[in-house]
Every structure is written in C-alpha cells, then in structure tokens.
Amino acid sequence: MLGFAFIRFPKVIKSYKIYVKAEAKAANGDIVEAIQGLHTVVEQYPGSVPVAVRLTDIAMEGGFYDDASYVISNNLSGKKIEANTVARLNRYIDKLDRFFHTYDTVQNMQSQLEEAKSKEEVLQTGYNYLNQLLSDPEQDKALVYYYMSMFAGDAGQARSCLENSIQEDDNMLDAKVQLATLSRRQGDLQYAENCYNQVLLADKTYSSASRGLAIIRLLEGKKEEGLNLASYAYEQNAEGDYVWETYLIALKENAKNTDADALVKEYVSKGNELDADIKSYLDGNLSLHDYYIDE
C-alpha cells in the first residue's frame, strides 16, 4: 500500500499544480494551456467536481463555449454541487443554450440564401433574416450581431454590428479581430492595434490577432518585428485565415526571398493557387500599403 501511494503521489501533485495554477494562467492570456491542462486532470479524475467547475468557469470566462458545454454535460451533470455553484452553472447553461440555438438557427438560413439571384440580394436576405432574430429572446444577440456583420451593406454597418456583438458579449474575440481588421483597412492603425492587443491579452495563441499586429508593424516600417509576429502566427495556426499570406509578405518585406520562394513552392505543391492580389504584390504591381489599406 505504501509503495502504491508513493507511485501515485507525484501524479497527484502534478495534477494539483495544474488545478491551482489554471486561473493565473488564464488571466495571463495562457487560456488554451490552462484549459488543456484542466482537461487532462478531468480525464484522470472524472469524478472531481472542483476541477470540472474550474474548467467550466475558465472556459466560459474566455468564450470557449464548446469546452464548457462538454464538461457540464459529461462531468457535472447529476453531481452533488453547492447551491451557489449550481446557480452559476445554470446561468452558463442558459447562455450556452442560446448560443448553440442561434448557431443552429443561422444554419437554417442557407436555404433562403440559395434563392437569392445576386450578391446584393444575398446580403440583404441574410441581414434581414438575422435582424429579425434580435427580437427573439431565445437567440444569443452577440452571435446574431456577429453574423450580421458578414452581411452588412457597407463598412459603417459592419462596424456597428461588430461593436454591438462585443457589447453584448466581451468574449466575442473574433468580433474584436474583425473590428480591428476593418479599422486597419480604413487606416486607423492605433484603434486596430488596441483591439488586437485586447484579444491577445485574453488569449496569446489567437493567430488572427498576432497576424493583425504583424501587418501593423510592417505598415509602420518595423519589418523585423512584423516578421516575428507573422512567424509566431504561422507557428500557432498555419491554416488560419490569411496567416500564410501575411507570413509570406513579411518574409518578402524583410528581403528573405529564398525563404519566401520555398514557402510559395510548398504551398503550390499542395494544390493551392495564389490569388490575384498576392500575385500582384509578388510581381511588384501592388504595394504593401495598397494590399492592406483601402483608400
């Protein structure tokens, strides 16, 4: 028995350290690491309510709703839990129900979009459909506003939708990224940088935000810093939206042509094609400024 205890003891201590340090890690922007660590502990000790609750709290506070929903369903359902914790979990469940219900409702919009005969009609149909959902208390307004921004008729309307989404739910990190990108394209680099930094303060691994900051640094002439950020974004998520393109451009701006050519060769070898804008940039027909900022 004593030997068995000593075999298990290091594992218990390691799991306890993960549990204790999780909140501090999340607060420091290492939220993905915190959540992954707590998932490991939950797998080792599936009956531990405190660990499952801490994981759920961190996931909800960071907007990782899939993780929270999974833990509530698989590790907390039917467990004996203190009354104040139950009240908090019930609030989470209400939020999650609305969030995923909205996601499903938006998917049902596809049939209406297929009937539209032009791009303008697609945008108007989608925007009107989503706008009607705002009066439905069973829908998650933050998510509705986020989707509405994709069907907005102009930049001003899109900005308003994104700002409303963030106001409804500060955890809508992608809404902050999209708002930052919209601001950058309009030439407001300072506002864009503030938004990107807010995202990275919550989650250091958010590649879209690192990519966005890389672009700003390149536009400011801080090319080496831009390359470092673009490289970091690429390491975090090479398949992220436009992450590859930004890394390629950062290499070119830093005169690392051999690395850039190798990156293009690898990309094309996988059956991908360069779009018109990136071709124009590589051929010297489109400047960095014109590539990333709308006049």
Side-chain angles (χ1 to χ4, degrees), residues 190-232:
Q190 186 58 61
Y191 186 86
E193 181 172 350
N194 290 341
C195 290
Y196 288 134
N197 280 328
Q198 286 178 30
V199 173
L200 292 172
L201 189 62
D203 181 1
K204 291 180 178 178
T205 67
Y206 215 102
S207 61
S208 296
S210 297
R211 167 192 173 264
L213 279 182
I215 293 169
I216 291 175
R217 293 294 174 264
L218 292 174
L219 289 168
E220 292 174 336
K222 301 174 183 177
K223 296 185 178 183
E224 185 174 354
E225 187 177 349
L227 176 57
N228 290 337
L229 286 163
S231 176
Y232 177 74

Side-chain angles (χ1 to χ4, degrees), residues 184-185 211 215 219 246 249 288-294:
R184 182 258 297 165
R185 295 215 69 89
R211 167 192 173 264
I215 293 169
L219 289 168
T246 301
I249 289 173
L288 179 74
H289 179 276
D290 291 341
Y291 191 93
Y292 282 123
I293 294 182
D294 299 328

Side-chain angles (χ1 to χ4, degrees), residues 100-110 129 133 139:
F100 290 112
H101 175 60
T102 300
Y103 179 84
D104 291 339
T105 302
V106 171
Q107 303 313 303
N108 295 333
M109 179 178 63
Q110 186 63 34
Y129 177 91
L133 297 182
Q139 305 294 338

Side-chain angles (χ1 to χ4, degrees), residues 137-235:
E138 294 185 359
Q139 305 294 338
D140 186 281
K141 286 187 176 182
L143 192 56
V144 172
Y145 277 124
Y146 173 72
Y147 282 120
M148 284 177 68
S149 71
M150 301 177 188
F151 293 90
D154 55 51
Q157 194 177 55
R159 172 179 288 275
S160 178
C161 290
L162 291 169
E163 288 173 344
N164 286 334
S165 176
I166 296 165
Q167 185 175 359
E168 291 287 340
D169 184 353
D170 196 53
N171 290 326
M172 294 293 291
L173 297 186
D174 199 55
K176 292 182 179 180
V177 167
Q178 298 306 321
L179 181 58
T181 300
L182 180 62
S183 299
R184 182 258 297 165
R185 295 215 69 89
Q186 294 176 329
D188 191 348
L189 301 187
Q190 186 58 61
Y191 186 86
E193 181 172 350
N194 290 341
C195 290
Y196 288 134
N197 280 328
Q198 286 178 30
V199 173
L200 292 172
L201 189 62
D203 181 1
K204 291 180 178 178
T205 67
Y206 215 102
S207 61
S208 296
S210 297
R211 167 192 173 264
L213 279 182
I215 293 169
I216 291 175
R217 293 294 174 264
L218 292 174
L219 289 168
E220 292 174 336
K222 301 174 183 177
K223 296 185 178 183
E224 185 174 354
E225 187 177 349
L227 176 57
N228 290 337
L229 286 163
S231 176
Y232 177 74
Y234 187 74
E235 291 172 4

Side-chain angles (χ1 to χ4, degrees), residues 28-85:
N28 193 44
D30 296 311
I31 189 167
V32 172
E33 183 179 342
I35 288 176
Q36 289 175 344
L38 287 173
H39 270 303
T40 301
V41 178
V42 166
E43 289 173 4
Q44 294 173 342
Y45 305 98
S48 174
V49 170
V51 176
V53 169
R54 179 158 295 183
L55 173 49
T56 302
D57 284 337
I58 291 174
M60 288 299 298
E61 289 168 5
F64 287 73
Y65 298 139
D66 285 331
D67 293 272
S69 179
Y70 178 86
V71 174
I72 289 173
S73 298
N74 293 278
N75 299 95
L76 291 173
S77 180
K79 297 290 179 63
K80 186 176 180 180
I81 305 173
E82 294 180 357
N84 62 334
T85 304

